[in-house]
Amino acid sequence: MARLCLPDGAVRGIDIQGAQTGTVTAYTAGRDGTVTVDNPQHERALRAYGAFPANLGGAPRGGRRCTGCGFGSYFTICSRCGGTCAKE
């Protein structure tokens, strides 16, 4: 089972036709913008359309946090405000 984000924010759903059976499966994005795919063939087809894996892991471990604005980063200089980031 895979969670995928559709290729564009304007795309709300994609229909995939099965190769052997000819049945059509509709994948409609939920409120979080992801679709759950159980069929590996459908996953490959959606990836061919431009869908990509959803990053649902949360905050990365071992990262840094800006002491000025609180933005999370892997670097010592904040890309948002230019402040210094300290290890969490």
Side-chain angles (χ1 to χ4, degrees), residues 50-73:
F52 54 93
N55 181 9
L56 302 173
R61 296 188 185 265
R64 299 174 180 267
R65 181 119 352 237
C66 178
T67 56
C69 69
F71 185 69
S73 176

Side-chain angles (χ1 to χ4, degrees), residues 44-45 68:
R44 282 192 296 275

Side-chain angles (χ1 to χ4, degrees), residues 2-64:
R3 302 254 347 227
L4 300 174
C5 294
L6 295 179
D8 184 9
V11 175
R12 296 304 305 158
I14 294 177
D15 295 338
I16 303 291
Q17 184 172 359
Q20 289 86 11
T21 61
T23 60
V24 175
T25 304
Y27 291 101
T28 304
R31 290 178 53 184
D32 62 352
T34 64
V35 294
T36 303
V37 183
D38 293 329
N39 188 330
Q41 294 172 339
H42 291 186
E43 181 183 354
R44 282 192 296 275
L46 287 169
R47 286 180 183 247
Y49 283 129
F52 54 93
N55 181 9
L56 302 173
R61 296 188 185 265
R64 299 174 180 267

